[in-house]
């Protein structure tokens, strides 16, 4: 019985030290991380409220007009995925274009839909509001070639 208390304390310490695994290959709090987590909320968690919390009020209102994360992903972003892995594009020299309080991040989506592999890229425009990065817009890459 006297070993139970230290064992419980050790177990609580270990559990509290566990941290959620990052879903995106970027440092927490950076524009890259916010952009990736935004799309992770849309496509993997299917949580429109979480995605809206990472946006400017204007973009959050636009997202809300679609009703669900699935509808926003399919219609607004023109992408459907059953499963998807989202990574920051680390090729090329301009990983991030950042000027003061604005940044543009390119993301690569590699997933499947209806048993077909789909690869897409999108550029996420973020602005810094009250010390936090917020998604302002999402742009399709006009030079992208999709594998369908």
């Amino acid at each position: 019985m006297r070993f139970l208390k230290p064992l419980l304390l050790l177990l609580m310490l270990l559990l509290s030290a566990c941290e959620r695994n990052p879903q995106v290959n970027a440092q927490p709090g950076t524009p890259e991380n916010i952009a990736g987590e935004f799309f992770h909320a849309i496509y993997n968690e299917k949580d429109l409220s979480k995605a809206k919390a990472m946006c400017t009020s204007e973009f959050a209102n636009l997202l809300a007009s679609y009703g669900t994360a699935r509808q926003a992903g399919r219609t607004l972003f023109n992408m459907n995925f059953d499963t998807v892995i989202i990574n920051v594009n680390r090729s090329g020299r301009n990983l991030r274009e950042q000027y003061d309080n604005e940044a543009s991040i390119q993301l690569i989506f590699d997933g499947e839909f209806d048993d077909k592999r789909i690869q897409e890229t999108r550029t996420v425009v973020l602005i810094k509001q009250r010390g936090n990065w917020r998604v302002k817009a999402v742009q399709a890459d006009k030079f992208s070639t999709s594998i369908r």
Side-chain angles (χ1 to χ4, degrees):
M1 188 70 170
R2 62 180 209 181
F3 292 110
L4 186 59
K5 190 173 182 179
L7 182 62
L8 285 175
L9 286 173
L10 179 63
L11 183 60
M12 287 176 40
L13 178 65
L14 289 174
L15 288 176
S16 66
C18 292
E19 187 177 317
R20 181 176 78 90
N21 288 334
Q23 302 300 322
V24 181
N25 61 335
Q27 294 287 329
T30 62
E32 294 88 353
N33 178 260
I34 301 300
E37 289 292 331
F38 168 78
F39 276 109
H40 180 72
I42 296 279
Y43 287 108
N44 293 324
E45 295 178 2
K46 303 194 182 352
D47 187 346
L48 191 61
S49 296
K50 184 175 178 180
K52 289 184 337 186
M54 294 180 238
C55 299
T56 63
S57 59
E58 296 85 9
F59 200 68
N61 290 338
L62 177 62
L63 279 178
S65 71
Y66 287 92
T68 66
R70 184 175 180 271
Q71 187 70 9
R74 182 170 55 98
T75 308
L76 181 61
F77 305 124
N78 196 27
M79 296 187 294
N80 277 324
F81 296 105
D82 294 326
T83 60
V84 65
I85 297 171
I86 304 161
N87 286 304
V88 175
N89 184 1
R90 297 200 181 278
S91 64
R93 290 191 288 178
N94 287 334
L95 163 64
R96 175 197 332 175
E97 292 180 17
Q98 180 178 340
Y99 305 99
D100 291 328
N101 293 324
E102 188 165 324
S104 296
I105 310 300
Q106 189 177 48
L107 297 177
I108 300 172
F109 299 82
D110 190 357
E112 289 187 6
F113 181 68
D114 286 341
D115 295 325
K116 294 179 190 165
R117 184 173 182 202
I118 298 173
Q119 292 180 318
E120 293 280 350
T121 60
R122 293 292 185 271
T123 300
V124 182
V125 179
L126 298 102
I127 61 171
K128 201 170 210 178
Q129 290 181 332
R130 296 184 203 113
N132 295 316
W133 288 101
R134 302 278 180 211
V135 176
K136 178 182 176 184
V138 176
Q139 304 166 344
D141 185 359
K142 56 188 167 194
F143 300 110
S144 173
T145 58
S146 299
I147 300 171
R148 302 227 182 231

